[in-house]
Amino acid sequence: MQIDPRTNLSNQLAQTLINRVVEPDEKREITITFRVSYAEKTRLEQRCNGVVQSDYIRARLFDYALPQPKLTIPEVNRQAIYELKKIGNNLNQQTRAINEAVKIGSQPLTTEVKEYLQTLKELTALLEQTHISLYQVVPEED
């Protein structure tokens, strides 16, 4: 039985593509969409378990290691983080303004100014600790 040359070439191409290693850090420029049923979508979401769906599918399809799940930050924490960043920016601006004023000589470095700068430093550290605690994952209770 003779195999059609086009079929043979097609089979060779398919085998080459199967054996080709796809590097995960290649630039991704192509979008692929496909349809699934409601049941398949639910099953996919359950399997992803915090991993971005495209990353999960890519890892399964190309035998990459599964990426770490993304942290889900509650809305209240996102709002608090946003406000803390604004406060932190204001503290940094005040600190820079005072240091610049002292540097150019328009503000003497008095004991009160030193104490105020120390207070700003302590507030900034407290804000950073609070910010970090808002990102920590609280274990779920069964």
Side-chain angles (χ1 to χ4, degrees):
M1 179 173 167
Q2 194 169 21
I3 298 176
D4 178 20
R6 285 186 296 175
T7 303
N8 191 27
L9 182 61
S10 179
N11 289 341
Q12 287 176 345
L13 179 60
Q15 193 60 40
T16 301
L17 290 174
I18 288 171
N19 293 330
R20 180 174 173 244
V21 175
V22 178
E23 296 297 324
D25 57 351
E26 289 182 9
K27 186 174 181 182
R28 296 185 176 109
E29 300 173 335
I30 300 169
T31 301
I32 297 174
T33 58
F34 61 97
R35 295 181 182 274
V36 295
S37 68
Y38 286 107
E40 290 169 330
K41 183 176 185 328
T42 301
R43 188 172 176 195
L44 177 62
E45 288 170 348
Q46 289 170 346
R47 287 188 173 195
C48 288
N49 195 23
V51 175
V52 175
Q53 285 183 6
S54 59
D55 291 342
Y56 177 84
I57 293 168
R58 209 176 287 113
R60 288 295 182 214
L61 183 63
F62 299 119
D63 296 322
Y64 299 154
L66 275 176
Q68 293 295 317
K70 303 284 186 217
L71 293 178
T72 304
I73 302 172
E75 180 62 31
V76 68
N77 287 22
R78 279 187 256 150
Q79 285 297 324
I81 289 167
Y82 174 75
E83 294 300 327
L84 288 174
K85 285 182 179 181
K86 285 180 14 181
I87 294 168
N89 286 339
N90 288 338
L91 292 176
N92 286 334
Q93 288 172 356
Q94 289 179 35
T95 304
R96 271 189 247 118
I98 291 169
N99 286 329
E100 185 63 27
V102 169
K103 182 178 172 183
I104 63 172
S106 66
Q107 168 65 51
L109 189 56
T110 63
T111 304
E112 291 83 15
V113 171
K114 287 180 184 178
E115 288 174 1
Y116 187 69
L117 286 171
Q118 182 60 33
T119 302
L120 290 174
K121 186 177 180 179
E122 291 168 4
L123 284 171
T124 302
L126 182 60
L127 281 173
E128 288 173 8
Q129 289 173 349
T130 306
H131 185 261
I132 290 169
S133 71
L134 290 172
Y135 277 107
Q136 291 179 350
V137 178
V138 178
E140 294 181 17
E141 296 181 17
D142 292 329

